[in-house]
Amino acid sequence: MAAKGSGDLCPRLEARPASGANQREIVADLDIVTFKALIEQCKRDLSYDALLNRLQVVFSSLSRLSMSFADPSMDPKNPLSLLLSDVQQAYWLLRECPPEAQILIASAAERIMSSVSAMPNLVTPRLMKGILIIFMYPILKERPWQSSLVANLCQIVWRSSAACQRVLKYYLVTPRPSSGDGVASLEETMAWLVWLVHRFINMRVEMIEGYVTRAGLPSSTANLDDNAKLIKYTEFYNESLNGFIDFMDDFKRFREKVFALCNFPFVLTVTTKANILKLESSVLMREKLQLAFFRALFAGVNPPYLLLTIRRDYIIEDALVQLQHKSHEDLKKQLKVKFVNEEGIDEGGVQKEFFQLAMRELIDPKYGMFTLNDESRLCWFAQSPLEDELALDEYNMVGRLIGLAIYNGIILDIHFPLALYKKLALAAEPQGDPSRLDEQWDLDDLMEIDPTLAKGLRQLESFEGDVLEAYDRTFQVEYESFGQTFQHDLIHDGVNIPLTNANRGEFVKEYLRFYFTTSISKQFNAFSEGFHLVTLGSAIQLFRPEEVEQLICGSPDLDFNALEQITQYEGGFHAKSRIIRWFWETVHTYEDKDKKRLLFFATGSDRVPIGGLGHLSFTISKNGPDSMRLPTSHTCYNTLMLCAYSSKERLQERLMTAIGNAEGFGLM
């Protein structure tokens, strides 16, 4: 039996018998001019039969529908001829018509989608125009149509060919302004599609209690990811999925390369991803610990932990020597830090302090590895053409330390631009090459790091005078490194190529390449190698660059109301205890700097975990009766110890003294 052609993917609908002046052949396609004329005619005739007949014929097959609303200057069979604005305007005008017209379209669209979803391989790029016309239909917001029609739409998008998906992407990323009368901007269209996808996911989760299969919507969402940066990436998070799915089990399926929601990480919140990473790290640490014990039984001593013994006056030197030759397997063990001549037993608090001190020293511009911009307060790699093996080893160690911090759940007080995390993400891909970003860097990326330099290059781009005369420079740039001045040609023989109005665009492009890649390639490669030695193959691959930044640096939201809500009390204290009420009344008046000092004193870190302070485990415990003793803490367990001070004033004075002298376990 011969297969049906793609133009007959669904049964035709019988049109209403036309009457009177309408007894003529009905044209199978439709355009906005004809649509408006039909509506005006129906208003005059006090009958909408002509419009209903036309809609019934147009929506009788995907092939006919795909010929409609085409740009009159193009062949209607061209996959890129659809005027999406005309489609949206037509749906807007339908609001003036009887509900029967909207129900007719919805019913016909449902028949088309049901038929096509059974044979998605027959959908051609031209027919994708019809799919888009249906996708734009506002009635999809109404629940009765979502479970079936949207499901089939998503199935078709998911299973369509790469050529069809390119057509879909073309319509979703081609800029167009909103012009009123129901015509949505590109951003509004994307927001509508994402809302539609989320609504269907939520319905599926409600219907099947969290079980999502390949027929579900996460798969289709993959084709609506935000490559065009039209809406914020967090709009793709789906709270229903994040609340119902066992994501550790899902991550196992992901690692086994079978269907899993982790294949579509943009629907997962950063909190969910962080929890996956935390669970994965815990499992790996436990496995390494068990393996070490078994090896110790049969093969002699095998350290169960990654143990660093650190002298406070030689933090960087000691860390470098001990981490330099550690293998990937060693770095996956649970980290323990021991400060020489100190009694702190590392149950988490000592390593927090170690990371704070080590990163503070390494990132300090005085150390020469990174520069700190006074405007943005962000760090970037120091530019240097020199071959310094020791410096490269130190960059590698910085990468390892940041990777270890992620693996061990430590949040760091470091301030890198998003550009760094973009480069790390690309370097982690198979055959990943961060230089692939060279064509994507723009002045917005530079503005984040060095606002003055970015503004200067923007002025160059928009300068209305004679660039050659006003700027008097070539395609060669100068920079300083360790007190020496170096020159670099942005292009071949750049020193002899003057900057002009004609080539200033190329100058900006090449300068961005130099800034983000060429001038720091050795430094970044060493840093990236150290970072990925720890993180490669882990759940870190689920994170976007922006999310990696949150994972490393924490959340900026110091919501102490959320912290108060989750705090536990021990030793006789409770939420209504007088000392506890005084404590919260006091800290709620603190400025951010003092709130950070309190966090550092009590938890060993002044950073807020992903998800905010409401996700922190925090305890306040009674430490005896009233006295002049300072508050203390067990940073390993995020526990603050308070005496039952006799007055609010004494509590305030003792607490402020304590948090002002928090560094070093000898003080706690």
Side-chain angles (χ1 to χ4, degrees), residues 68-262:
S68 297
F69 300 105
D71 186 333
S73 66
M74 301 176 67
D75 183 345
K77 294 182 179 181
N78 187 322
L80 306 183
S81 65
L82 178 64
L83 291 175
L84 213 54
S85 58
D86 284 3
V87 176
Q88 293 171 330
Q89 192 174 5
Y91 285 143
W92 176 266
L93 293 171
L94 268 181
R95 300 178 314 145
E96 305 172 6
C97 303
E100 187 179 2
Q102 298 193 36
I103 295 173
L104 183 152
I105 292 177
S107 300
E110 190 168 31
R111 292 189 184 96
I112 290 175
M113 291 297 96
S114 178
S115 178
V116 174
S117 65
M119 298 179 288
N121 58 306
L122 295 182
V123 177
T124 65
R126 178 177 69 84
L127 295 179
M128 282 302 292
K129 295 188 296 179
I131 302 295
L132 270 165
I133 291 173
I134 294 174
F135 235 136
M136 291 294 102
Y137 195 25
I139 203 173
L140 295 180
K141 278 190 175 181
E142 298 181 13
R143 194 179 184 94
W145 303 104
Q146 291 173 2
S147 60
S148 55
L149 183 52
V150 179
N152 287 326
L153 278 168
C154 294
Q155 280 285 83
I156 293 165
V157 172
W158 169 245
R159 294 181 177 179
S160 61
S161 67
C164 288
Q165 293 190 13
R166 282 195 296 271
V167 171
L168 177 63
K169 183 175 180 180
Y170 167 80
Y171 286 106
L172 293 181
V173 302
T174 303
R176 59 180 182 276
S178 175
S179 59
D181 295 330
V183 180
S185 67
L186 189 58
E187 292 79 6
E188 291 167 334
T189 300
M190 178 63 81
W192 150 248
L193 293 177
V194 171
W195 179 89
L196 197 62
V197 168
H198 280 316
R199 185 69 192 102
F200 178 69
I201 291 178
N202 297 344
M203 289 180 63
R204 288 289 292 237
V205 170
E206 292 169 9
M207 291 166 54
I208 52 183
E209 298 182 348
Y211 178 69
V212 181
T213 66
R214 183 177 290 276
L217 209 56
S219 55
S220 66
T221 314
N223 301 289
L224 299 177
D225 198 4
D226 57 340
N227 291 329
K229 301 180 181 178
L230 298 174
I231 59 177
K232 196 173 181 180
Y233 68 91
T234 53
E235 295 298 319
F236 287 79
Y237 293 162
N238 185 274
E239 297 295 340
S240 293
L241 286 179
N242 285 270
F244 276 90
I245 303 300
D246 180 348
F247 280 106
M248 198 58 210
D249 179 63
D250 190 83
F251 185 67
K252 290 179 181 177
R253 296 199 302 273
F254 170 71
R255 296 290 295 272
E256 294 167 0
K257 300 189 182 305
V258 297
F259 178 77
L261 292 175
C262 286

Side-chain angles (χ1 to χ4, degrees), residues 1 88 111 187 263 286 326 356 447 488 493 507 509 532 552 568 576 593 612 654 660 666:
M1 180 176 177
Q88 293 171 330
R111 292 189 184 96
E187 292 79 6
N263 286 302
R286 186 166 59 248
K326 295 295 183 183
Q356 293 285 351
M447 180 67 73
H488 175 79
D493 197 30
F507 179 89
K509 175 183 173 182
H532 288 114
I552 293 171
Q568 302 294 312
K576 295 184 179 180
K593 66 175 183 178
R654 295 282 81 190

Side-chain angles (χ1 to χ4, degrees), residues 250-489:
D250 190 83
F251 185 67
K252 290 179 181 177
R253 296 199 302 273
F254 170 71
R255 296 290 295 272
E256 294 167 0
K257 300 189 182 305
V258 297
F259 178 77
L261 292 175
C262 286
N263 286 302
F264 316 103
F266 43 83
V267 299
L268 310 183
T269 66
V270 66
T271 303
T272 294
K273 294 173 187 175
N275 288 336
I276 293 174
L277 185 63
K278 182 178 179 180
L279 285 169
E280 180 196 35
S281 299
S282 298
V283 170
L284 285 173
M285 287 178 184
R286 186 166 59 248
E287 290 176 352
K288 298 300 179 187
L289 185 61
Q290 292 171 346
L291 183 62
F293 282 130
F294 280 119
R295 285 180 174 173
L297 289 174
F298 299 104
V301 177
N302 186 44
Y305 301 106
L306 174 60
L307 179 62
L308 299 181
T309 303
I310 303 295
R311 296 168 294 174
R312 283 190 177 271
D313 292 336
Y314 300 94
I315 290 177
I316 303 305
E317 292 86 346
D318 290 349
L320 179 61
V321 169
Q322 295 176 62
L323 286 175
Q324 190 171 17
H325 301 295
K326 295 295 183 183
S327 67
H328 174 76
E329 295 300 313
D330 288 330
L331 295 173
K332 288 294 186 181
K333 296 176 180 178
Q334 183 179 357
L335 177 65
K336 297 283 186 180
V337 177
K338 168 69 176 174
F339 282 111
V340 175
N341 299 325
E342 295 187 23
E343 297 181 359
I345 298 175
D346 192 6
E347 295 295 338
V350 182
Q351 61 180 261
K352 289 179 186 177
E353 187 183 13
F354 161 71
F355 277 110
Q356 293 285 351
L357 298 175
M359 296 309 301
R360 182 188 305 170
E361 186 171 339
L362 286 167
I363 300 300
D364 192 325
K366 295 178 182 178
Y367 206 75
M369 296 177 66
F370 299 91
T371 60
L372 176 67
N373 186 275
D374 292 333
E375 280 186 90
S376 66
R377 307 304 299 169
L378 295 178
C379 293
W380 191 240
F381 296 90
Q383 299 172 340
S384 176
L386 303 177
E387 292 283 352
D388 187 335
E389 290 300 324
L390 178 58
L392 295 180
D393 287 343
E394 290 173 338
Y395 280 114
N396 184 280
M397 186 181 71
V398 175
R400 291 191 189 201
L401 285 175
I402 294 177
L404 283 172
I406 292 175
Y407 187 64
N408 288 271
I410 305 298
I411 299 173
L412 300 175
D413 184 16
I414 57 176
H415 305 278
F416 288 118
L418 184 60
L420 172 66
Y421 304 106
K422 289 180 181 179
K423 289 172 71 73
L424 284 174
L426 191 58
E429 295 179 4
Q431 286 91 42
D433 179 7
S435 65
R436 280 170 45 199
L437 285 169
D438 287 349
E439 302 302 318
Q440 301 176 31
W441 297 123
D442 58 34
L443 290 177
D444 288 337
D445 295 303
L446 184 59
M447 180 67 73
E448 184 190 11
I449 310 172
D450 192 333
T452 298
L453 178 57
K455 290 174 185 175
L457 291 174
R458 279 213 168 102
Q459 289 174 354
L460 168 63
E461 286 184 323
S462 60
F463 185 69
E464 296 182 356
D466 186 338
V467 170
L468 178 62
E469 181 180 352
Y471 282 81
D472 188 27
R473 66 174 304 159
T474 66
F475 270 68
Q476 185 180 80
V477 294
E478 290 187 352
Y479 62 98
E480 290 189 2
S481 177
F482 295 102
Q484 300 181 56
T485 300
F486 297 91
Q487 291 78 35
H488 175 79
D489 285 356

Side-chain angles (χ1 to χ4, degrees), residues 25 44 140 192 488 543 604 633:
E25 182 180 356
R44 291 193 301 269
L140 295 180
W192 150 248
H488 175 79
F543 290 73
S633 64

